Amino acid sequence: MKRVMLAGLAFAAAATIGISAQQPAPQPTGTTGAAAASQPQPAPDVPGGEVTLGSVRIPRAVSADGKPLKPGTYQVKVTAQEAKPDAVGQTEKMERWAVFMQGGKEVAREVVSIVPSAEIKQVADDAPPPSGGSKVQLLKGNDYVRVWVNRGGTHYLIHLPTSGA
């Protein structure tokens, strides 16, 4: 009799475990199944609107949005306009347009990648500039100049191809 009861309890426990393992994970309120998977997640630490990054000195001739940009000091601002990514999997909100200005006039623009502080180690190997600071670096191979600005832990990276001039 005890064996029959123990076997029945074991069977009931196994059936309960099997049923709970087959139940779908709870979905966030208002979304279910494929609809939840297809909804984009909000980008962390992405400021809305225009952001002034400050002045940077570009030490050599580069290209910005396919146009020449001479060496010099520029005011850099991030616009509210999203740069539509070409690659699948990039987050649009994390790619925006930055403008380079001199004398109050826009002279060039280029895509800026916005990287939250929690993710910067996945993107760049070297130490970031201090909060409120920036650095301009010639990258390995001398093919690109990287403008890196840190505003309150949010990192702005602009990669400009060198023009050899």
Side-chain angles (χ1 to χ4, degrees), residues 11 13 20 22 33 40 45 49 51 56 58-62 83 89 114-115 120 139 142 144 148 156 165:
F11 178 76
S20 64
Q22 293 176 4
D45 298 335
V51 178
V56 296
I58 307 294
R60 64 185 317 166
V62 294
I114 304 170
V115 183
I120 195 63
L139 298 181
N142 299 329
Y144 289 90
W148 185 350
Y156 300 86

Side-chain angles (χ1 to χ4, degrees), residues 25-67:
Q27 297 293 324
T29 305
T31 59
T32 57
S38 67
Q39 289 187 351
Q41 297 299 313
D45 298 335
V46 177
E50 188 174 278
V51 178
T52 300
L53 298 182
S55 292
V56 296
R57 185 182 166 284
I58 307 294
R60 64 185 317 166
V62 294
S63 295
D65 198 24
K67 298 176 184 137

